[in-house]
Amino acid sequence: MWDKIKAIAFDLDGTLIDSVPDLTVATQEALAELSLKSCSEAQVRTWVGNGAEMLMRRAMTHALGSDVEQTALDAAMPIFMHHYQENLEKHSALYADVHQVLQTLFDAGFKLAVVTNKPYRFTLPLLNAFGINDFFSLVLGGDTLAKMKPDPLPLQHLLHEWQLDKEALLMVGDSKNDILAAKAAGIASIGLTYGYNYGEDIGLSGPDAVCEQFSEILNWVKPTK
């Protein structure tokens, strides 16, 4: 199976970049502006993965102790977006070996993409800030297509754009959303243990391989150049 891989889709938050510190600041500042109870970084780590709106919904539900009305959430989103724009790259960091591994795969001729549920407006600036944008020929945000992970549509889009058979594409991510999307698209997946997965063991989602460090990807996908 691994010998047939020609292209790799990477999740962003919790896979390439530890972005929770900045997401936490943005969430805390948004809650403060809304006069709502604050939250901790540890809590935000369990809330990310389903896009910005779900993050804010979870934060507001926690603060209120009850479900959030959609009208209140709609009013809160521009506030959160503003604060995240102001704190996009202040405290975030690349995980160990990410740049080196991406360089190795890129030099070996693999097609690389980012498939994230983060809004596209934040995705490209973050990739540029950490000097990894040039590795990727396609970047899909959570709002690029009609559906986002765990729906398979983003991965199906890659297969179509790159004219690949399913066995040629690999999904690498830290969340069950990544693994579920890969399974639904009929492609292989690698689950990373160090990211954000709602406090769950990524292995329970059934990826084809589990890696504790980003560099271990090269144990499965071995460049031939």
Side-chain angles (χ1 to χ4, degrees):
M1 176 184 72
W2 301 103
D3 292 339
K4 296 181 180 179
I5 301 297
K6 297 179 180 179
I8 308 173
F10 293 95
D11 177 51
L12 181 59
D13 299 317
T15 295
L16 302 177
I17 296 173
D18 182 8
S19 54
V20 159
D22 286 320
L23 286 167
T24 299
V25 172
T27 303
Q28 290 172 339
E29 291 184 354
L31 291 173
E33 188 168 335
L34 293 165
S35 299
L36 294 176
K37 183 176 68 173
S38 191
C39 61
S40 68
E41 181 174 312
Q43 288 170 323
V44 173
R45 286 187 181 275
T46 68
W47 292 341
V48 299
N50 297 104
E53 182 171 309
M54 184 57 73
L55 167 59
M56 201 59 196
R57 180 184 292 277
R58 288 166 175 153
M60 293 176 70
T61 298
H62 167 75
L64 295 168
S66 61
D67 292 338
V68 180
E69 293 185 3
Q70 188 62 44
T71 53
L73 182 60
D74 291 343
M77 285 310 299
I79 298 172
F80 169 81
M81 293 293 203
H82 167 74
H83 287 294
Y84 189 42
Q85 187 73 58
E86 294 297 309
N87 294 278
L88 187 59
E89 57 196 64
K90 289 184 178 180
H91 308 289
S92 298
L94 278 183
Y95 286 108
D97 300 317
V98 165
H99 193 282
Q100 177 183 348
V101 171
L102 291 176
Q103 184 75 66
T104 298
L105 294 169
F106 180 83
D107 290 344
F110 287 94
K111 292 181 179 292
L112 306 179
V114 169
V115 177
T116 176
N117 285 348
K118 181 188 289 294
Y120 185 80
R121 63 183 279 197
F122 300 130
T123 300
L124 278 185
L126 204 52
L127 295 175
N128 280 315
F130 290 102
I132 58 175
N133 184 56
D134 289 345
F135 293 130
F136 304 107
S137 54
L138 281 173
V139 176
L140 303 180
D143 50 0
T144 301
L145 302 173
K147 297 180 180 179
M148 62 183 178
K149 301 173 299 183
D151 193 275
L153 180 61
L155 298 176
Q156 292 167 340
H157 180 79
L158 292 186
L159 291 171
H160 175 75
E161 288 294 308
W162 284 339
Q163 293 296 292
L164 293 174
D165 294 329
K166 292 179 180 180
E167 59 265 25
L169 181 61
L170 169 69
M171 178 73 218
V172 176
D174 64 298
S175 166
K176 62 183 179 182
N177 292 326
D178 303 308
I179 310 307
L180 290 172
K183 287 180 179 294
I187 70 168
S189 63
I190 289 178
L192 300 169
T193 63
Y194 57 74
Y196 325 136
N197 191 36
Y198 317 104
E200 300 175 9
D201 179 354
I202 191 66
L204 297 176
S205 298
D208 295 288
V210 174
C211 296
E212 294 185 1
Q213 300 176 24
F214 195 81
S215 59
E216 292 176 15
I217 295 169
L218 297 180
N219 294 339
W220 299 94
V221 182
K222 298 180 180 180
T224 56
K225 289 186 179 180

